[in-house]
Amino acid sequence: MRSCIEKLLQSVEKALPILCLRKVFQMGDTRNTELNKQVTIKDIAKKAGVSQATVGRVIGGYGSVSSKAKEKVLKVVKELNYVPNSIAQSMKNKRTKTIGVVVGRFGNPFFSEIVNAIEVAGAKLGYNVIISNTDEDPKKELECLKTLYSKQIDGIIIATTLSPDTVLDAASKKFYSGSIPTVYIDRELPFLQELCVLTDNYFGAYKATEYLIEKGHRNIGIIAGTNTSTMHRRIEGYKRALMDNNIEPQEKFIRFGEKATVEEGRQFTSDLLINNQDMTAMFALNNQLVTGMLKAINDMKLSIPTDLSVVGWDDFELAQIVNPPLTMVTQDTEKIGTVATEKLIEIIHSKDVESNALGERRIVFNAHLIIRESCADRKVEWI
Amino acid sequence: MRSCIEKLLQSVEKALPILCLRKVFQMGDTRNTELNKQVTIKDIAKKAGVSQATVGRVIGGYGSVSSKAKEKVLKVVKELNYVPNSIAQSMKNKRTKTIGVVVGRFGNPFFSEIVNAIEVAGAKLGYNVIISNTDEDPKKELECLKTLYSKQIDGIIIATTLSPDTVLDAASKKFYSGSIPTVYIDRELPFLQELCVLTDNYFGAYKATEYLIEKGHRNIGIIAGTNTSTMHRRIEGYKRALMDNNIEPQEKFIRFGEKATVEEGRQFTSDLLINNQDMTAMFALNNQLVTGMLKAINDMKLSIPTDLSVVGWDDFELAQIVNPPLTMVTQDTEKIGTVATEKLIEIIHSKDVESNALGERRIVFNAHLIIRESCADRKVEWI
DNA sequence: CTGTTAGCGCCTTCAT
DNA sequence: ATGAAGGCGCTAACAG
């Protein structure tokens, strides 16, 4: 039964018959011929026996053209398979119909869902999307913005890695505010006037913490990461919920990482568990941290929720079918992406017309607490 | 404890002090002023008291310039915060330093991981990435390609939604082959000569099926989707493994969907389970189908691997910590993305120099079977 | 209704 | 070492 490799190789070869190779070489002939060279408006004009302007009118659908000129042009357009050169168009009319998206890491499902929504919403309105990873590094972020700027994108959607207390020099500020339509997502810089589309992080964290408190937990660990408004607000919500219930927040229950990675989540969790025997619940503040947390708990052979109650942030499809199903705070990534895109494009268009700005400063969506089975009641005899 | 909403609102307001608003309005002044207008080479030239050509030489780093002219220019460049206009550059030298990526859906982690790798590899080599979703629709795919083509991208990486037996008319073929450097990923069209970077799907499916057979399973369900070479090869590998072990593949154990979504996975799984009481194992051929399969199994209150052994395709971080940890076929998404990008850019550059093509036809990576605990031994008394 | 023409910003040859 | 000038492909104002 083992090592049927020879058989395998045979069938692999069979699957791609030699015939294809021949075909391929024939096709090679079409390379670097007319098909390959850009067909321009000039070519159309020459072949149709009209002026470039007339071709432009037909293609652009403005001015007036005699029906037979139009017909001729359209015929040649089809014949030559003409596709307009957007670069030349952009050169002329100063818009590229392209927007830039700048996030920490595209592989992060939270961002990839948002970017997916951005692409879909953008495509619907005729815009393409250029993506850029910053790896949560402010220097890289600035580089990305410069590149996008030089590519003359019409607008930017950014989940900035800058912390809310950053001080920007004038040269950098140009790339963050005022010179090009920009919408911030997920994280906001309070010193900028640009629109920000995000989730109510404070309230989401508040609700989740309150829920754990209602279950009788008082020593609740929390792991966070990235020095952003988003994480700050979540921590604030957590602390506030504790205080509103007469529990003093303690730093020993809080871990705050650099980049909020899976590995940080793992380390922080085992760290918290080892150093706080009295901790009965934990809250991980993003999807990567949740994964890390679950790994650590798994490694330590603890069971949820018997040994530890657990709440995560950023729901994922499998959260409802793992054992036990996880209680999670969720945000609507699709909505964030869609609304950010639609607003950005509104701003872009309004700029065409008059000044700009919709006056909106922030659009905030609710975070939802989805209660499943990862939190146990804690009997509190000693209260 | 409940409805502390007033308190919440108060703290929300506190968090964004009114001071910020003032600052914001001051900043508003910088809008639509010089900062906002593109600074061009002409502006630099005028202010530095030299010709445009000299500025070009300094910035482009070619020809020879006197050191004091150079100094003057660089000073003004910094003063005016000059950023070159890539669009104009592209116009001139016919390359945009941008590549297009066309996939079914970015939200799909398999693709988002690949695209992440593409972005990283591309950025390293000075290329930006435009993304396009096709939603697994050939018509949309062609539209995407046309748009990208019109944007004069330097190359394309595509996971085509076309099935291997598609017949392309000449007009469409232009967008798939021969006119612009193109690298196919994950799925290949045997009638094209372009490079394809992908996983050995046949062998991966073969190994996984063989593994199940070794465990004593003979009635193995399989769920697939999207009419692509990828899925075909996986099904072939599965069938071949069965036949090599004297088991006749039966259509009743196979389900093949349109788009390989979570929902299809769920339906197919419950369908298979209901109609085949003798089925003891299942194999889901991509990440979405795996999720759907797990959902269905969960809904039917079956347990893995006691009631059903299960193998999935496309590993994810949580697969090792769910209960039970899942046995999975994995592919190296990062490598696919990175290699596809590097090869594409090689092709782009080779085209500059002479003809083109590296001669490579396909780069195939191994699929790995990661054995965890989702498959049970099946005692086969009746053999 | 149609053609001519002047740029968009940058590159680059040619002449000085 | 430097400046003038033409042109990439398209748009649109202007003239016929």
Side-chain angles (χ1 to χ4, degrees), chain B residues 257-271:
Chain B
E258 287 290 314
K259 301 200 172 185
T261 57
V262 172
E263 186 47 28
E264 280 181 1
R266 210 188 52 66
Q267 282 178 7
F268 288 163
T269 303
S270 58
D271 182 44

Side-chain angles (χ1 to χ4, degrees), chain B residues 23 31 51 88 93 125 302 323:
Chain B
K23 240 188 197 164
R31 297 203 149 222
S51 73
N93 54 23
L125 296 163
L302 298 177
N323 196 347

Side-chain angles (χ1 to χ4, degrees), chain A residues 1-5 7-8 11-12 15-16 20-21 23-24 27-28 31-32 35-36 38 80-81 83-88 90-91 96-98 105-107 112-113 115-116 119-120 128-133 146-152 171 173-175 177-180 188 190-194 202-203 206 210 213-214 233 236 240 244-245 262 291 294-295 298 316-318 320-323 351 355-356 361-362, chain B residues 1-5 7-8 11-12 15-16 20-21 23-24 27-28 31-32 35-36 38 80-81 83-88 90-91 96-98 105-107 112-113 115-116 119-120 128-133 146-152 171 173-175 177-180 188 190-194 202-203 206 210 213-214 233 236 240 244-245 262 291 294-295 298 316-318 320-323 351 355-357 361-362:
Chain A
M1 183 184 290
R2 295 187 175 283
S3 86
C4 312
I5 297 181
K7 278 184 204 159
L8 277 176
S11 14
V12 167
L16 276 179
C20 293
L21 286 178
K23 240 188 197 163
V24 159
M27 286 192 39
R31 296 201 150 223
N32 298 323
L35 259 184
N36 210 4
Q38 265 281 336
L80 263 46
N81 237 307
V83 179
N85 181 332
S86 305
I87 294 293
S90 300
M91 186 89 194
T96 51
K97 287 280 186 178
T98 303
R105 195 184 112 80
F106 191 62
S112 71
E113 284 295 341
V115 175
N116 192 77
E119 198 281 336
V120 171
N128 281 110
V129 174
I130 293 187
I131 56 170
S132 291
N133 278 319
K146 268 187 192 163
T147 308
L148 291 172
Y149 191 89
S150 91
K151 292 220 165 155
Q152 313 296 115
K173 189 175 266 167
K174 169 182 178 181
F175 296 103
S177 175
S179 48
I180 179 176
E188 58 184 337
F191 52 85
L192 300 182
Q193 80 181 313
E194 268 71 17
Y202 185 97
F203 196 56
Y206 190 99
E210 189 181 53
I213 295 169
E214 281 173 358
R233 306 313 308 280
E236 284 168 25
R240 185 66 188 212
D244 284 351
N245 289 280
V262 172
T291 303
L294 295 176
K295 274 186 154 178
N298 195 56
F316 50 95
E317 198 123 27
L318 286 176
Q320 56 189 282
I321 56 178
V322 297
N323 197 349
K351 236 193 166 173
S355 67
N356 73 325
R361 179 68 179 74
R362 20 182 13 225
Chain B
M1 185 183 290
R2 294 188 175 284
S3 89
C4 312
I5 297 183
K7 278 184 205 160
L8 276 176
S11 15
V12 166
L16 276 178
C20 292
L21 286 177
K23 240 188 197 164
V24 158
M27 286 193 39
R31 297 203 149 222
N32 297 322
L35 260 185
N36 208 4
Q38 264 284 332
L80 263 47
N81 237 307
V83 179
N85 181 331
S86 306
I87 294 294
S90 300
M91 186 88 194
T96 52
K97 288 279 187 176
T98 304
R105 193 185 114 79
F106 279 112
S112 70
E113 284 296 339
V115 174
N116 192 77
E119 198 279 338
V120 171
N128 282 111
V129 173
I130 294 187
I131 56 172
S132 292
N133 278 318
K146 267 188 193 162
T147 307
L148 291 172
Y149 190 90
S150 91
K151 293 220 166 156
Q152 313 296 114
K173 187 174 268 167
K174 169 182 179 182
F175 296 103
S177 175
S179 48
I180 180 176
E188 59 185 336
F191 52 85
L192 300 182
Q193 78 180 315
E194 268 72 16
Y202 184 96
F203 196 55
Y206 190 99
E210 189 180 53
I213 295 169
E214 282 172 359
R233 306 312 309 282
E236 284 166 27
R240 185 64 189 213
D244 284 352
N245 289 280
V262 172
T291 303
L294 295 176
K295 274 186 153 178
N298 195 55
F316 50 95
E317 199 123 25
L318 286 176
Q320 56 188 282
I321 56 177
V322 298
N323 196 347
K351 237 193 166 174
S355 66
N356 73 322
R361 180 68 178 74
R362 18 180 17 222

